[in-house]
Amino acid sequence: MWDIMKTVREINQRIKDGDAVVVTAAEMTAIVRENGAKQAAEEIDVVTTGTFGAMCSSGAFLNFGHSDPPIKMSRTYLNGVEAYSGLAAVDAYLGATQPNRNPDIGLEYGGSHVIEDLIRGNEIELVAEAYGTDCYPLTEIKTQITLESINEAIMVNPRNCYQNYSSATNSTDETLYTYMGTLLPNMGNVSYSSAGELSPLLNDPYFQTIGTGSRIFLCGTQGYIIGEGTQFATEVERRNGVPVSTAGTLMLKGNMKEMHSDYVRGATMPKYGSTLYVGAGIPIPILNEELAQRTAISDEEITCRIVDYGVPRRSKPIVREANYHELKSGVIELNGVEVPTSPLSSQKKALEIALKLKEWIDKGEFLLTIPVEKLPNKGRTVKPLEIQKPRILVKDLKGEALILAHPTDAISEVARRMVQNSINHLPVVDEGNKLLGIVTSWDVANAVAHGKNKLTDVMTKKVIIAREEEPVDVIARRIDKNKISGLPVIDSDNRVKGMVTAEDISRLIGGD
Amino acid sequence: MKAWLTFSPSIVNKAIISNLVKNYDITFNILRADITPKGGKMLIEISGTQQKQAVEFMEKEGIHLNPINKVVKKDEEKCIDCGACISLCPVEAIKPAEDWTVEVDDLKCIGCSFCTNSCPTRAIRVME
Ligand code: SF4
Ligand code: SF4
């Protein structure tokens, strides 16, 4: 155990007296490196942290007030974005990722944008529907509200401030649009999302000072940690004390009426959905030498996995490990190639937040708290959701007799084979049954029309394929996304095993 | 100026570029190139005092010139300096400054719109 050198109460007294020494987590790294943890612990009272990242698990409780005659709202829409209203009469919870109900707007203006507009003081259209009761006779309402006009607007975010988060890349040959941003094909870029050494939970990795009731910086005002966040884990691999993957999370609360749009923004991850950029900063009291050491952690000492989002499964393959110093340098080497990186969370704002929090404490406007209860620091893992219905893999599909074409086949013969078997696609293979291309009835018609008779001239060489071990749902999405009607199934040696068509899949999915 | 050059197979083997540089004293920078036996496309940046004459020479030789006058603009109020756009830019026109302010160099930009389509706050736009 480390000797307690000072208490939160003593630090607060120094803050009130204007004598507290406050530094950011980035400054602390340099201070400890220079003077050692012991001296730093004696001299420094508080280390401030900060992060400004896309935090999808965010939202707000709103109380609109009672109309006359009153209404018991069962559905509410704010600028076209639905808020959950299954609580009392005029309360609602607006989730950040809720899309707009107007399909033309969809993901471009969702829950997070309404939250930003409210905070900016803009007028919001409120539409509410109800079934009508004796005490709440009204069945619909359409009016304008502002943050000022409603009773409460309390941001409550079930899961913010991930302790660490894997970076993303994409090994497939198509661009992917994810919550980690746009991922270019063939590992063309890497996106990472943590603030690294400034990130709150990496500076107190065992939750020695923060917990339920801790006062924090939240979106420009003073908010609170109201407990551990959802998907909270402690039993994870650590290096230098900090997790190398997702671990701790926080549930946060703050009054939206005091927030500032500089520190909270609605955003849309293209083709993924809306999300809220949340600015959060946590002060860490330096009570002993160990805390001085922990808050001194540097980007080089924080490991982050780079995983392949080309595999749309729960556990994605790890491409390599890196540290935040490497990631923040702008390029990282993947399989011998230099690949550019993108931060995704604002490093600039993260530092601004840590500095703002420092300023508040320096001015005596912000006092530290002793948590009512510490966050759990052991025994927690994240459980997966098992799907009861067994997952159907491509190889489980009942294949029809495999019909193939070879590069030397005459077009007329191929056409005949297609008509006879009433099929629209034919994989073209070599002697070893390895896939060379695919020919469709359209290609054949085209060939006949243009007097071409070599199959290799008309077949498509860039083929979208299905692998035997892939779940059928993933293939359904691939068919949909590429607007194709079928694709060849390939085994691990690239041999064609069959075809799977849109009809096969809709029969399967529609069949139960 | 920056421009896309499109040329047909017949001139792929001609020494046009070297003549250009020799005769018109211009600096010639190839930013991207896609050349096949069937002809090709090249994105170039040329500078020098005899630019106009150089362009005329190229057109005479059968190279079609398509100047790029698109510029990228960032709405500073909307931009949150998240950096999502940085790694998407094919010509490294977007870079973070020392303090992580995300900066766009519109002289380098080739107007591809990758950044525009991927900005979470729709802060960056390509304009004519
Ligand atoms: S992606 Fe948009 S918000 Fe983010 S840094 Fe680029 S321009 Fe700014
Ligand atoms: S439009 Fe293309 S070239 Fe220009 S800054 Fe954006 S990504 Fe870079």
Side-chain angles (χ1 to χ4, degrees):
Chain A
M1 271 320 268
W2 299 83
D3 289 338
I4 299 289
M5 298 164 77
K6 51 198 141 168
T7 65
V8 170
R9 218 164 257 124
E10 284 162 7
I11 293 175
N12 276 342
Q13 191 53 51
R14 278 194 231 188
I15 295 174
K16 286 181 202 154
D17 297 342
D19 296 334
V21 181
V22 189
V23 299
T24 66
E27 290 165 338
M28 188 64 167
T29 308
I31 292 171
V32 171
R33 203 173 277 165
E34 202 157 299
N35 304 334
K38 187 156 186 296
Q39 193 184 331
E42 279 159 10
E43 289 169 8
I44 310 292
D45 295 315
V46 186
V47 167
T48 62
T49 61
T51 181
F52 187 78
M55 306 193 195
C56 288
S57 184
S58 299
F61 283 104
L62 307 172
N63 180 287
F64 303 114
H66 287 285
S67 58
D68 184 28
I71 183 170
K72 178 172 181 287
M73 302 175 181
S74 49
R75 306 209 95 138
T76 54
Y77 301 92
L78 294 150
N79 282 354
V81 181
E82 182 163 16
Y84 178 73
S85 318
L87 43 161
V90 293
D91 284 315
Y93 183 79
L94 175 65
T97 60
Q98 182 73 31
N100 205 286
R101 70 164 153 172
N102 177 348
D104 292 337
I105 302 174
L107 310 177
E108 286 301 309
Y109 185 96
S112 66
H113 299 91
V114 178
I115 291 174
E116 179 184 335
D117 269 337
L118 277 168
I119 291 171
R120 286 185 183 276
N122 296 338
E123 268 201 351
I124 307 282
E125 181 196 69
L126 167 68
V127 172
E129 296 162 5
Y131 49 78
T133 72
D134 287 346
C135 43
Y136 292 105
L138 222 58
T139 56
E140 38 174 72
I141 256 186
K142 188 175 179 181
T143 185
Q144 300 290 122
I145 59 157
T146 62
L147 189 62
E148 180 90 15
S149 76
I150 63 177
N151 286 317
E152 285 88 15
I154 304 164
M155 184 179 283
V156 175
N157 303 341
R159 184 174 64 260
N160 279 180
C161 298
Y162 255 119
Q163 201 163 14
N164 199 349
Y165 210 88
S166 293
S167 309
T169 189
N170 162 26
S171 66
T172 69
D173 52 15
E174 49 188 314
T175 301
L176 295 179
Y177 300 91
T178 72
Y179 58 85
M180 291 294 287
T182 303
L183 301 175
L184 298 174
N186 306 316
M187 300 201 183
N189 65 343
V190 167
S191 96
Y192 61 98
S193 71
S194 171
E197 64 188 20
L198 272 177
S199 182
L201 297 189
L202 290 174
N203 280 282
D204 183 6
Y206 293 100
F207 316 125
Q208 286 164 290
T209 68
I210 54 190
T212 303
S214 289
R215 187 181 292 127
I216 60 166
F217 174 108
L218 183 63
C219 305
T221 184
Q222 300 189 9
Y224 293 90
I225 296 174
I226 54 175
E228 73 264 37
T230 53
Q231 281 175 36
F232 184 90
T234 54
E235 302 307 294
V236 292
E237 193 187 329
R238 287 171 192 262
R239 231 159 283 159
N240 302 317
V242 299
V244 302
S245 56
T246 55
T249 62
L250 298 175
M251 194 176 287
L252 306 181
K253 170 196 172 253
N255 184 357
M256 274 169 63
K257 295 198 180 201
E258 297 165 358
M259 290 182 181
H260 197 281
S261 60
D262 275 355
Y263 303 105
V264 53
R265 285 301 172 86
T268 298
M269 286 300 163
K271 299 192 196 172
Y272 171 76
S274 65
T275 182
L276 193 68
Y277 270 81
V278 174
I282 300 180
I284 297 168
I286 304 303
L287 307 177
N288 59 32
E289 198 180 323
E290 184 189 0
L291 284 163
Q293 193 62 58
R294 297 257 178 238
T295 50
I297 193 141
S298 66
D299 282 337
E300 286 94 332
E301 293 162 315
I302 308 169
T303 303
C304 175
R305 289 177 175 151
I306 302 176
V307 301
D308 183 6
Y309 274 59
V311 178
R313 301 295 292 270
R314 187 172 56 217
S315 62
K316 301 179 174 20
I318 300 167
V319 180
R320 63 163 280 190
E321 284 185 348
N323 65 50
Y324 282 99
H325 181 71
E326 295 172 284
L327 286 164
K328 289 184 187 179
S329 76
V331 280
I332 188 127
E333 197 198 291
L334 291 186
N335 304 325
V337 182
E338 295 227 308
V339 176
T341 63
S342 270
L344 208 66
S345 80
S346 176
Q347 307 293 320
K348 183 184 177 192
K349 291 246 179 221
L351 185 59
E352 252 175 60
I353 289 165
L355 286 168
K356 192 76 184 168
L357 182 54
K358 169 176 150 65
E359 183 191 315
W360 286 351
I361 301 171
D362 280 338
K363 286 192 185 151
E365 294 166 359
F366 185 111
L367 293 177
L368 305 194
T369 40
I370 302 167
V372 186
E373 196 168 275
K374 298 259 178 74
L375 299 182
N377 62 12
K378 54 176 184 291
R380 292 283 293 267
T381 52
V382 173
K383 296 193 193 85
L385 173 65
E386 295 306 344
I387 308 174
Q388 301 283 301
K389 200 171 77 177
R391 269 186 110 55
I392 303 170
L393 303 181
V394 171
K395 67 174 178 196
D396 302 330
L397 287 174
K398 240 200 265 69
E400 323 242 315
L402 182 56
I403 303 154
L404 299 167
H406 291 92
T408 47
D409 292 353
I411 296 272
S412 54
E413 161 60 20
V414 172
R416 197 185 52 79
R417 220 176 291 161
M418 283 180 140
V419 175
Q420 244 172 26
N421 296 288
S422 52
I423 48 173
N424 286 315
H425 320 77
L426 217 49
V428 184
V429 296
D430 68 7
E431 301 84 62
N433 262 9
K434 291 220 167 104
L435 185 67
L436 298 171
I438 196 163
V439 56
T440 64
S441 40
W442 191 87
D443 294 329
V444 169
N446 208 20
V448 172
H450 292 94
K452 289 187 184 158
N453 43 30
K454 266 184 70 193
L455 198 53
T456 39
D457 287 348
V458 297
M459 72 180 188
T460 307
K461 296 200 186 83
K462 196 170 173 290
V463 189
I464 298 162
I465 57 157
R467 298 223 171 250
E468 284 186 306
E469 296 301 322
E470 291 185 293
V472 168
D473 320 57
V474 172
I475 304 308
R477 164 95 186 135
R478 191 169 304 153
I479 286 179
D480 208 42
K481 194 174 165 193
N482 292 287
K483 300 191 177 55
I484 50 176
S485 50
L487 65 186
V489 178
I490 305 289
D491 71 7
S492 51
D493 293 324
N494 283 331
R495 277 191 302 255
V496 178
K497 305 298 277 191
M499 281 293 294
V500 43
T501 64
E503 291 107 85
D504 293 339
I505 288 184
S506 56
R507 208 177 308 130
L508 190 86
I509 292 172
D512 55 10
Chain B
M1 74 182 271
K2 254 180 295 184
W4 278 105
L5 306 184
T6 336
F7 40 86
S8 59
S10 54
I11 56 169
V12 165
N13 294 322
K14 281 205 207 166
I16 296 176
I17 306 234
S18 54
N19 283 340
L20 255 179
V21 176
K22 222 166 40 208
N23 300 342
Y24 298 97
D25 188 32
I26 56 165
T27 348
F28 193 97
N29 221 339
I30 301 174
L31 302 173
R32 306 184 95 189
D34 180 16
I35 304 170
T36 66
K38 291 181 185 159
K41 262 174 83 165
M42 218 167 19
L43 181 67
I44 55 137
E45 189 176 4
I46 46 178
S47 49
T49 46
Q50 299 183 55
Q51 257 188 59
K52 217 171 125 243
Q53 291 89 323
V55 170
E56 277 163 16
F57 168 76
M58 280 190 275
E59 303 219 298
K60 207 177 86 232
E61 289 288 329
I63 298 178
H64 182 69
L65 225 89
N66 215 341
I68 294 181
N69 30 31
K70 291 194 178 130
V71 287
V72 65
K73 278 255 151 12
K74 197 154 73 77
D75 180 334
E76 297 304 336
E77 158 58 16
K78 274 191 183 167
C79 173
I80 52 175
D81 299 292
C82 70
C85 51
I86 296 173
S87 69
L88 299 173
C89 180
V91 293
E92 298 186 6
I94 314 176
K95 288 268 162 208
E98 190 76 24
D99 72 344
W100 286 96
T101 304
V102 173
E103 290 175 345
V104 184
D105 181 350
D106 55 11
L107 289 174
K108 273 195 183 167
C109 170
I110 56 168
C112 72
S113 292
F114 284 178
C115 57
T116 316
N117 295 334
S118 298
C119 170
T121 62
R122 299 275 177 267
I124 193 163
R125 302 244 169 239
V126 171
M127 287 180 275
E128 291 292 328

